[in-house]
Amino acid sequence: MRSEFIGMDVEIQSSGCGHFCGKIVDESKNTFTIHKGDREVIVPKAHSEFLFTYQGESVLIHGSEIQYRPEDRIKKIR
């Protein structure tokens, strides 16, 4: 959870936007912008679950656990 998410492939498990896969192209404190097909979708972190593949392992992360500014996440999450 302390790594950079931009550029990672992600599968959205549950959110108001539905279930889909894509690549993270931007991040703010409360949202991810995900490139899906030929468009970009803004997904709120709160009330969403994200499945990342990191170093060969699948990691399910609840959005509320990473609801920090990207630059602050490294300092706050231990």
Side-chain angles (χ1 to χ4, degrees):
M1 291 190 295
R2 293 177 58 185
S3 68
E4 178 67 48
F5 289 128
I6 295 175
M8 292 184 76
D9 291 319
V10 64
E11 182 177 336
I12 310 305
Q13 294 289 310
S14 64
S15 76
C17 301
H19 180 94
F20 63 92
C21 298
K23 182 174 289 227
I24 297 175
V25 294
D26 196 17
E27 177 184 7
S28 70
K29 176 181 178 183
N30 297 308
T31 64
F32 282 126
T33 302
I34 299 174
H35 183 75
K36 173 189 169 192
D38 60 347
R39 63 188 183 112
E40 292 182 350
V41 179
I42 296 175
V43 178
K45 290 180 182 177
H47 311 297
S48 298
E49 293 180 335
F50 304 95
L51 183 65
F52 293 95
T53 302
Y54 182 72
Q55 295 181 348
E57 293 185 33
S58 293
V59 180
L60 182 65
I61 298 176
H62 298 277
S64 59
E65 296 174 347
I66 54 173
Q67 210 165 1
Y68 302 105
R69 293 184 314 167
E71 57 271 21
D72 291 340
R73 186 175 52 242
I74 293 171
K75 293 183 269 183
K76 291 185 179 187
I77 296 177
R78 305 242 179 234

